[in-house]
Amino acid sequence: MSDDYDSPWKEAIERYFPDFMHFYFPAAHARIDWNQPYLFLDQELRAVVHDGELGKRFVDKLVRVACLSGQSEWVYIHVEVQGDPQDEFAERMFVYHYRLYDRYRQPIASLAVLADERANWRPEVFRYECCGCELALRFPVAKLLDHEHRLAELRRDPNPFALVTAAHLSALRTRHDTNRRFAAKRELVRLLYTHPAHWSDELIQTIAECDKVAKYVDIPLQHISDRMLTAMKRVTSGDYIRGLLRRIAAARLREVVAPVLVDLA
C-alpha cells in the first residue's frame, strides 16, 4: 500500500508552523518572537540545496524567524521530516546547515522529525576529526515513535500536530492491513467531528482552502432553536449558530450549508 506523506506534512507545517514548533521543539519555540512575522523560504532553500545525492526525505522547509533575545536580526530554521532510516542523514543535516550559514551568515537552527519505523535509529550529531581538527553539528530530533504509548492522550491534545502524529503512527501500524487502515481512518474522522461551539474562523478557512479536507459541514437544524439548545445543555445559542452559518458562507462554503441559509439573509 503506497502512502503519500509529503504533501500533508508540507501543508500542515506551512499552515500551523507555531504549533509544529511548540509540539515537537518546545525549547526552540520558547525562544522565537511569535509577535513578529515568519517567512517560508522554499525557493531560497532549493537554491542552496541544489542536489539530490544525499538521500530522499519527506519534507524540507526553511523558515526565517525573529528571536526574543534580539541577538540577531533573523534566525533561519531548517526543518526536515525524514521517513526512512538513512546512513547519510546526519551528514546531510550538516551539509545543508553549513550551506545555509554560508549563504546568510546568520544563526541556523537545524531540526529533524524522524517519522520512520525503526525505534533505535536516532541520528543527532555529525562530526569528524582530522589531524587535531574537530568539527561537529548536534541537532534536536523529534521521534514520532516516542509518542506511540500515548495515542489516547494525543487524540485529546488541541495541538493539531498531536493529531498529525497520531494519524502518522496509525498509518505506519496499518500499512499492510486494509481493514485496520479503514478502521483507523474512521476513528480519525470521528475525532475530527466537532460541536459548533468549537468552530473558529481558522478552522472554517482551513476547510475552505485545503483541497484534502471535505467541504462538508454537519450542523443539525435543531441547534438554531434556543429551547432545544437549552434542553440539550449546549453553551451556544440560536443567534450564535446563525452567525456561524454566515461566517461559513462568507468563507466560500455556501454550497455546503445552502439548505439552512434561506431564512438567514
Side-chain angles (χ1 to χ4, degrees), residues 231-246:
M232 297 169 66
K233 299 182 179 180
R234 301 300 195 203
V235 298
T236 54
S237 66
D239 287 340
Y240 172 84
I241 298 299
R242 292 183 185 92
L244 170 60
L245 292 173
R246 292 190 182 95

Side-chain angles (χ1 to χ4, degrees), residues 8 73 102 110 141 149 166 175 186 192-193 201 239-240 257:
E73 182 178 1
D102 186 53
S110 298
V141 164
H149 68 284
R175 177 176 292 172
R186 184 175 58 187
L192 291 169
Y193 186 86
D201 289 339
D239 287 340
Y240 172 84
V257 292

Side-chain angles (χ1 to χ4, degrees), residues 116-178:
D116 63 291
E117 299 181 79
R118 190 188 300 174
N120 61 353
W121 185 67
R122 297 172 183 269
E124 297 175 310
V125 62
F126 174 82
R127 65 163 53 92
Y128 71 86
E129 185 275 335
C130 181
C131 299
C133 178
E134 183 176 358
L135 187 63
L137 171 69
R138 183 176 297 278
F139 49 91
V141 164
K143 185 80 170 181
L144 297 194
L145 285 181
D146 290 345
H147 298 276
E148 196 163 25
H149 68 284
R150 62 185 199 99
L151 285 177
E153 181 183 345
L154 291 178
R155 294 180 180 121
R156 296 190 300 268
D157 193 321
N159 189 308
F161 279 91
L163 199 55
V164 168
T165 300
H168 188 93
L169 292 173
S170 294
L172 293 180
R173 283 179 169 184
T174 62
R175 177 176 292 172
H176 305 294
D177 189 327
T178 55

Side-chain angles (χ1 to χ4, degrees), residues 1-263:
M1 184 181 299
S2 177
D3 294 312
D4 172 23
Y5 296 117
D6 298 34
S7 57
W9 273 101
K10 290 176 183 177
E11 292 177 14
I13 292 173
E14 289 175 356
R15 186 173 290 275
Y16 302 112
F17 182 64
D19 294 305
F20 170 86
M21 292 295 295
H22 186 266
F23 187 79
Y24 295 120
F25 305 103
H29 177 275
R31 300 181 64 177
I32 296 173
D33 184 356
W34 295 108
N35 292 318
Q36 301 298 321
Y38 55 89
L39 180 64
F40 286 94
L41 301 170
D42 292 345
Q43 292 185 351
E44 290 80 355
L45 179 61
R46 284 194 293 270
V48 172
V49 185
H50 51 73
D51 57 71
E53 67 225 20
L54 290 175
K56 185 178 184 297
R57 59 270 186 199
F58 277 175
V59 176
D60 264 329
K61 284 292 178 185
L62 179 64
V63 191
R64 190 182 69 185
V65 302
C67 277
L68 290 170
S69 66
Q71 294 178 350
S72 175
E73 182 178 1
W74 299 111
V75 172
Y76 293 84
I77 297 179
H78 172 225
V79 172
E80 185 151 338
V81 181
Q82 180 64 30
D84 298 301
Q86 292 178 351
D87 293 338
E88 68 275 12
F89 178 78
E91 178 186 4
R92 184 169 76 236
M93 294 292 288
F94 168 74
V95 169
Y96 292 176
H97 186 99
Y98 80 66
R99 287 184 183 176
L100 290 167
Y101 180 79
D102 186 53
R103 179 183 179 95
Y104 294 108
R105 299 293 179 175
Q106 294 287 346
I108 308 296
S110 298
L111 310 175
V113 175
L114 304 181
D116 63 291
E117 299 181 79
R118 190 188 300 174
N120 61 353
W121 185 67
R122 297 172 183 269
E124 297 175 310
V125 62
F126 174 82
R127 65 163 53 92
Y128 71 86
E129 185 275 335
C130 181
C131 299
C133 178
E134 183 176 358
L135 187 63
L137 171 69
R138 183 176 297 278
F139 49 91
V141 164
K143 185 80 170 181
L144 297 194
L145 285 181
D146 290 345
H147 298 276
E148 196 163 25
H149 68 284
R150 62 185 199 99
L151 285 177
E153 181 183 345
L154 291 178
R155 294 180 180 121
R156 296 190 300 268
D157 193 321
N159 189 308
F161 279 91
L163 199 55
V164 168
T165 300
H168 188 93
L169 292 173
S170 294
L172 293 180
R173 283 179 169 184
T174 62
R175 177 176 292 172
H176 305 294
D177 189 327
T178 55
N179 291 328
R180 291 183 64 205
R181 173 65 60 90
F182 176 79
K185 287 184 176 182
R186 184 175 58 187
E187 174 65 11
L188 287 172
V189 170
R190 187 189 67 79
L191 291 170
L192 291 169
Y193 186 86
T194 178
H195 184 270
H198 305 141
W199 278 72
S200 65
D201 289 339
E202 184 180 29
L203 175 60
I204 294 170
Q205 205 61 37
T206 299
I207 294 175
E209 296 177 356
C210 184
D211 292 337
K212 296 185 180 298
V213 177
K215 306 297 187 288
Y216 173 76
V217 178
D218 183 4
I219 300 179
L221 286 175
Q222 64 263 30
H223 284 179
I224 296 179
S225 166
D226 286 324
R227 181 180 61 81
M228 182 64 70
L229 289 169
T230 300
M232 297 169 66
K233 299 182 179 180
R234 301 300 195 203
V235 298
T236 54
S237 66
D239 287 340
Y240 172 84
I241 298 299
R242 292 183 185 92
L244 170 60
L245 292 173
R246 292 190 182 95
R247 286 158 52 207
I248 292 172
R252 303 186 304 279
L253 291 176
R254 176 176 288 272
E255 66 276 10
V256 301
V257 292
V260 295
L261 287 175
V262 290
D263 296 327

